[in-house]
Every structure is written in C-alpha cells, then in structure tokens.
Amino acid sequence: MSDTVCLLTDPVATEPAVSGAKGATLARLLSLGLPVPGGVVVTTETYRTVVETAGVGDLLSDLEAAVDRGDEAARADLAAELRERIRSTPLPSSVVDALDRDRPSGPVAVRSSATTEDLPGTSFAGQYDSFLGVEGTDAVATAVRDCLASLFTERAVVYRARNDIDVTDAAMAVVVHAFVEPDASGILFTADPVSGRRPVTVIDAGPGRGDRLVSGRTTADSIRFDRPTDRIVEYAVGPERSEPILSESDVRALSTLGTRIESALGSPQDVEWAIRDGDISILQARPITSLFPVPEPTPDDAVHVYYSFGHRQGMPDAMPTLVLDTWATLIESVFSDLGMDGWDIATAGNRLYIDVTPYLREPRLRRRLLDNFDVIDEPGAAAMRSFIADAPEQFPATGRGLPLAAVLDNRGTLRRVVGLAYRLVGGVPRTMVTGDPLDAPTALKETYDEECDRAIERIRAPQTLVARLDAAVRELGNGADWLLDPFYSRFLSGIIAGALLRRLVPEERERVDELALGITDDVVYQMNAALADVAAVAQETPAVERALREGTTMADLRDRDDAEAFVAAVDAFLDAFGFRAVGEIDWSRPRYREDPSTLLNVVSGYIAAPDADSPTHQGDELQARAADAKAALVSAAPRPLRPLVRRLATMYRGYIGLRELPKYALVRLLDELRQQTLAAGRQLERAGALESRDDVWHLTYDELRAAVADPRTLAGVDVTARRQAYERATALAPPRLLTSEGEVLRATGPIDGTPGAVTLAGTGAAPGVVEGDVRVVTDPARTRIARGEVLVAPYTDPGWTPLFLNAAAVVTEVGGRLTHGSLVAREYGIPAVVGVDDVTTRLKTGDRVRVDGASGTVERIE
C-alpha cells in the first residue's frame, strides 16, 4: 500500500491529516469493531499530487486573495476554474492501480473526506460531493477526481471563508468503501439536537438510500428513544407510509450503536446509517455542532437546573478563561459570606451558570425564587414553571419543606442570613419614613466614588504585581459589603413604593412607570447626555462631522488641527466615563478610553439626525411627563391618602434610578483589575511565556499568579486550545436555563398574530407603542442606528445605552423589568420589550414592526 492509497484497516488511516476527517473517523470506528463497510482511502497525498500536476498554485493564491477582499465574482470564477482543472487532471497510475486492485468488489460508495470537515464548530455537512453505487475502475477514478474537485464548490469555498479557514489549509481525501443498497437508512443523533437533552437518541429513518431523505424526496419516520428508561417515547410515521420503517429492536440496536460511537469519539454524534437484511452499517459519524455544552461540574447524577449568570447581568456573551475563573471564585466567596452556600457554580460554553436546583426542590424556597424571577426575568420564571410541572416527582408541589438553615448548609449560615437580612432590609422602614429620595442619587454616588478611590489606592499600593493582582480580586470580593449596604434599603424602598402605588391607585397604575421618566441624575443617563454634548461639539465643525460620517478613527482626529475642540470634548468624556465598555462585566474587553470606536459610531449616528432633540430638551419634556404622572396619581387617590401617595411617588422616582450605581462602582474596580492583568500580560509577553499579552485572558487565575512569579510554569499550558475553544464558544447561542442533561429550558415562543403579521412575545419593560424599521445590532462599534429606528439587540448593558439616543424602541433577547436596559428605556421614555428569544435572527434589519412595551409584544407588519 502506497502513501497515496491505504486500507481503512491500516492504522495510518485513522489520522485526519491522511484520510480527512470522515475517513479517519470511519477507520477508527472500524478498528473498534463497529460495523463500518470495508474499503480504501485515497489519501490527501493524492490530492496534493493532483494539484501539483494540474499546476494550479497561482489559482489557489488568487482564490485566497479574492476571498480576503470579498470579491464574490472573482471567487466564483476562480473556484469554477479550479474544479475544472482538477477534474481534467488524471490520477497517478499508482492510484488507479491500487483502486483496481484493492477496492471492494461490486458497487462502491465514493465519499469526499476533507481535512476541514466534521470539526467541533464546523460540520461542513453537504458541502462536498459523494457518489453511490459506482462500478468499474474508470468510473471510480472519475468519481474520485470529482470528489477532489469538490473541495472548491462555491458553497464549500464560502463556508470556509465564513469560518475563517484559509484556502490553502484544506486538503481532500476520498473514501471508497463497499456500497450497501439499504432497505432503510437515515440519521441518528446521540442527543436531541432540538432540546439538547443528552440521554435521548433521535432517529430519522426512510426507505432505501439516505439521499432520498436529504433531497426531500421522502419524509422520514421520526423516532425519539429515551435511553435511561430504555423505551421509545415518540414514533411519528412519515406521511407517505402507514407502517413504521423500523421495528422496536431496530431502534434499540441503533441507539446502542450510537452510544458506543459517542463513547468512542468523546462527544454527541450525528451518525449516518443503513440497514440491509437486518444488518446495520455505519456510513459516517461527526460531532453535533449545534449543541450547547453541558454545565460542569455537576454535584451528582440527579437532574439539576442551571441559570445563566450572564443573563442575570444582561451580558450573556462568552468570556475567556481568566474572567470565568475569577468570577466563579468571587461569586462563590460572596455567596458564602452572605450565607448562601447552596448556590453551586458551573461553566458551559465559556459562560457561568448557577445551580438553582436546591431552591426549586423545596416548595417554600421555590415560591420565593420564582416570585423574584417574575420581576427580574419573566421568561425564565415561565420556563422553570413548565419544567417543574413536567417533573412532579423531582419538584413536589407541597410539603413541609426543609428549614432554611438546612438548605443553606447548616454551618451557622442561618445566623448569617438573618444578620444579612437585617442589615439590608432592616433600614427599609426608616428609609421609607425619613429618607431623602431627592438627595439619594448624589449622596450614594459620592459614597461609591470615595469607596472606589480608597479601594484603588489599596490595589496599587503593593510593590509586587502578584500582590496587586491579589489586592484587586480581594477588593472586588470585599466590595459586596459597601456596594449593598447603602444601596439595598433605598432601592428596595423604591420597589415597595411602586408596588404600593399600584395598589392604592389601581386606576392609574400605568402612570407609575412614568414616574421614572427623565431621571437626569442617573449615572447612565448622565453618560449618554455627556456623549450627546460631544456630538453637539462635532456638529459645530463641518469637517469633523464629515470625517465622523466617513468612519474616521480617534487617532486620525487627534492629528487634525480643526478637530481640537472635538478631541477635547471626547477626552473630557473619557475622563469621566472612559472606564466603561460594552459587555463591561467581562474585563477582558477594551474600555472606552482604550477603544472609543463605539462612541464615535454613536456620535456619527446622532449627528446624522439633524432634527433630533437635545438631551436637555428631551429631559425637560420627560420630567414634565413625570410630574404630570405624579399629579395624576395624587389626584386619583382618596383625599386622606394623598400625602402618602405624594411621598410614595417621590420615593419611587428618587430611589428606582439608583439601580445603575452599584454597577457603576463595580466597573471602576473591574477596570483597575483589567489594568493590572494587562500589566501581567505584557510582562509574560516580554519573558517569552506568551506570544501576545492578550493570551493572558486564557489562563486561570492560579496559573497567572504562578506565571508572574515564574514564567516557566506556563510550559504545559495549551493557551492556543483555550483560545480556540473560546472563539468557538462566542458563536454559540447561550440558553438562560439549562439542565445537567443538556436540555435547554425555553420560555414562550412566537404567538399567533393577525393575518399577514407575526407577533413575538417577551416581557414588557417600558410602556408605549411605536412603529419603526428594525435595526439589528450585534456590535455597537460597527453598526449605526438612525433616528426613529427600533434597536433589536442580543442584550443592552450600560455600554449599549448610548444607542438609545436615536432609538424609537428597544427589543432584546435578554433582560427583565429591572435590568439595565429596561430602566434606561423607561428613563428615556421609549418602549422596550425584553426576553424575546432569538429576536436578532427572527427579525431582520429593515423589517417594519410595532412595539408595544406595555403588553410585551413585537408585531412584524407586512
């Protein structure tokens, strides 16, 4: 056997660099005794020989250049020429001889097997060509050349470009194995690809060859088999048939094979199979790329429910290893200090998840937890209630329940919980009776600024970098005390005041949210107003205004004499708010002062709307509406209650706007931790321990500390693998709720609308009804929003809220009534609907929609 052709049973065939991904997997399964048809592999060396013989090196370089510059026409022409040149190049005679001698007798299947397919994040399903039932050496050789040429099908070239795979990084092998003319064939998933539940095998089965299913010429039988209970839970027969294609024993045998394949390959698999005369053949296996990872670690074998920390914080994006590791440690430490030892932390898809199972299992705690979720994340509450209803044996509806102390570990935590509750809630009566709501924002911000200044001084004081890193993490953990103590009783008093107003004046209950309009001493409102002032400076210099519209950079503006006033205005803004960022709880992300591109993008969008009201004028109008709402509430109340209603309205307006202050202070500390971490990254880069300072984000905290002391400790750390895992995770859509079996718990999906319209349901977060054109934004640094457009985004933390200056309404996938974007939308008086699953893919830029922020619906208008 030569380097150009090898048997599937040859050990070298299990190497993807030799046999491509598909061929290597089949060779590996065959070596484990699984029923894979025997055959040979035309190796990647043959591909390279054919490419060299065809003399297409310049074409490959030209194709890569066309892909890089986005020239679609040139890309298509070059790919077509490459295919033709490879098809017309004869295979080496040694390859033809080996195929004639060693291929299985009778008809064969000739299957493409690229080195860049069947990868964890890129399946390449259907991108390359395969041929079934091929007979004769000449026909097989022709099919092999066609498979080699299919590396350059237009669809494959585009797919590789979208996944940042260079043209020259791909090579093609071809598997030639015995063809099975099946009685039945299909696809098996070793995990449910829709729900994500790992213990369920899902099978699609059709009569005859599998290509009939793929092409849509027949509809599959659909089967779901629950492995823990060893039973078929669903069997839907295809509409063309009256009898099932598979027997119960067939289903069980396929499921067993699937489990063996998953165990051998180490992850859930998408398996192509065929049955002939009762014998099963495995034709292909590849990872299921659509599954979100299972949380790890899990405490036991029982089913656990996990809630996304990122969804709670309004920032569900993936985070690198260092940020994940440090957050997990901080959260566990804070929870322990607060007497909440029952909250276990897990990670999945480079996100943090919190185990809420102990609280769901105990009826009294479950009721409190779900009541809380009704306020902060209504879709999450709905999803948990649905899951609990389907599993009554795990979540009893009634019962005496465990004492709180037992649930929280019984190590003196009850005393801590009571102490904490007294500390945080004990001040509520005093705050409601004697507190000064009007002074609260200024007083609390001054407190936080003083505490942050002292904390930053303590972080910078130590002489060694390790000590400064430790001090930064320690100050974050200690910050829980001074962040919560002065804040919680006031903010809770505001929530209580709002609830009392809705009860005391039910006929004007919708007016309560209007009390929050135009709260100009809110720190996020002040940030956005300051940014609008920067835009006003830009409008005073036409050359600067024109440069911003053309996408100039801050570095370019600093070199221009006519931009001095604008640069000074930006610098003043950055002095006040430069520590903030988009997705700012992830301190690996550049702060505004490091990368002001998001700010310039917002400014350019703002100046493109010449009729836009200034924030000052908008603030005056919103404050007038808030005053009208207060007057209406007082007027509608019974006369004896009017003083109380007036006090409650003042409290609600004064205290509800405090929501952003703890985040403001926390982000100042995160910014300082970022600077210390980057200093460590630069040190390790200089020492040669890291290729780039930014690789520091892919270390654990303990690894970072050890490396700063001795860079040699990183010798065994695979930073590249962690970086690649993080990059793959960024493309995953994270669920807000996930079980330890991988099942995604979903909230309400789309609801029926009027004819010609589609209505999406979420949580109404800010009242009002508007119509407008959608602008889907996933990166606020690259997308401008025009005045009057409806901002549709995955989430909106404070770093996104400058976009609210132009938005007519806000719709997000993540959030609740008390998350950052919701509160800011209410302050700005623009409708907001949050918690709309997959809205950034279900709506497209340019769609016309009607947003109802009271009912929580988004109607697409045809």
Side-chain angles (χ1 to χ4, degrees), residues 711-730:
R712 293 172 298 180
T713 60
L714 292 184
V717 178
D718 193 343
V719 173
T720 300
R722 291 182 186 172
R723 185 193 314 113
Q724 292 172 342
Y726 166 69
E727 290 169 353
R728 288 196 300 270
T730 60

Side-chain angles (χ1 to χ4, degrees), residues 42 110 160 212 305 310 350 424 447 484 495 596 608 678 759 843:
V42 180
V110 182
R160 285 196 295 272
R212 292 170 56 82
V305 178
N350 281 76
L424 298 182
T447 297
L484 288 178
I495 293 175
L678 288 176
T759 302
L843 292 178

